[in-house]
Amino acid sequence: MKSKFKSRTSWREKLEKPQEAKLVEVPPKMSRFGTGMMLIPTPKLVDDLIRKVPKGKLLTVGEMRKKLAADFAADVTCPLTTGIFVRIAAEAAEEDRLNNRKKITPYWRVIKDDGSLNPKFPGGVAQQTRYLRSEGFLVSPSGKKPPMVKEFERKLFKLK
């Protein structure tokens, strides 16, 4: 029988864990993302940005990383930790939904830079597709790749 890993720490606790963003030199292995200083954000910073995205708008992970880097005078934001923290925000939002919280982080509005959906979100691309369609977005299947939001460029939210 398969046992599914269960963390003792809730997603909400992971999201709210007190920690500071850090600036580090871009490691040589990550030089394809840029050079200079790299921001290691926090889950809370990522969640705060996602919460700014209004209904009817979308945000790419790339735009999120650019905004975070600019806010901290960094050259780039770590793509690995940002991806992990987007997932933490998404899982915490679903925990909040289960706990009947009304205002949850709209993580389903976060898409990949090419307009595709995130299979690692709670419920996978099927759930993200349902949420996006309920907000009026057109989502099209794309074969073996994750589905994509049609004409997503026209719906991108500009972070200030």
Side-chain angles (χ1 to χ4, degrees):
M1 191 164 109
K2 284 185 186 177
S3 74
K4 193 166 179 169
F5 172 76
K6 270 296 220 190
S7 174
R8 293 174 201 249
T9 311
S10 74
W11 291 103
R12 170 70 35 208
E13 289 171 302
K14 290 177 185 180
L15 179 71
E16 293 178 352
K17 180 181 174 193
Q19 54 191 311
E20 296 293 320
K22 290 184 224 134
L23 283 173
V24 299
E25 195 73 37
V26 175
K29 288 182 184 173
M30 297 183 90
S31 63
R32 70 182 179 280
F33 298 109
T35 57
M37 297 307 288
M38 177 184 278
L39 172 71
I40 309 297
T42 67
K44 195 79 179 96
L45 282 170
V46 170
D47 187 74
D48 289 346
L49 279 185
I50 298 170
R51 284 181 173 270
K52 292 180 179 180
V53 183
K55 189 172 182 176
K57 292 290 184 181
L58 299 168
L59 179 63
T60 65
V61 176
E63 278 303 307
M64 189 182 314
R65 287 180 45 231
K66 283 181 198 162
K67 170 69 171 143
L68 287 166
D71 287 353
F72 286 83
D75 298 296
V76 295
T77 300
C78 177
L80 186 66
T81 55
T82 304
I84 291 167
F85 297 159
V86 169
R87 166 92 188 272
I88 289 173
E91 296 284 0
E94 286 303 322
E95 258 180 18
D96 289 348
R97 184 188 306 280
L98 288 173
N99 291 324
N100 296 316
R101 286 178 95 171
K102 295 294 176 231
K103 198 148 171 67
I104 67 168
T105 302
Y107 68 88
W108 56 90
R109 297 178 190 149
V110 177
I111 57 173
K112 294 185 179 188
D113 294 350
D114 65 358
S116 62
L117 306 190
N118 191 332
K120 293 184 179 175
F121 279 167
V125 295
Q127 185 164 305
Q128 189 178 11
T129 297
R130 278 194 307 278
Y131 288 165
L132 288 171
R133 284 184 175 153
S134 77
E135 292 188 0
F137 291 100
L138 297 173
V139 180
S140 62
S142 51
K144 293 182 180 187
K145 293 182 179 175
M148 297 181 78
V149 178
K150 286 187 178 178
E151 299 178 2
F152 73 93
E153 299 92 344
R154 294 186 9 206
K155 301 287 188 175
L156 291 177
F157 180 64
K158 294 284 176 228
L159 291 166
K160 292 176 179 71

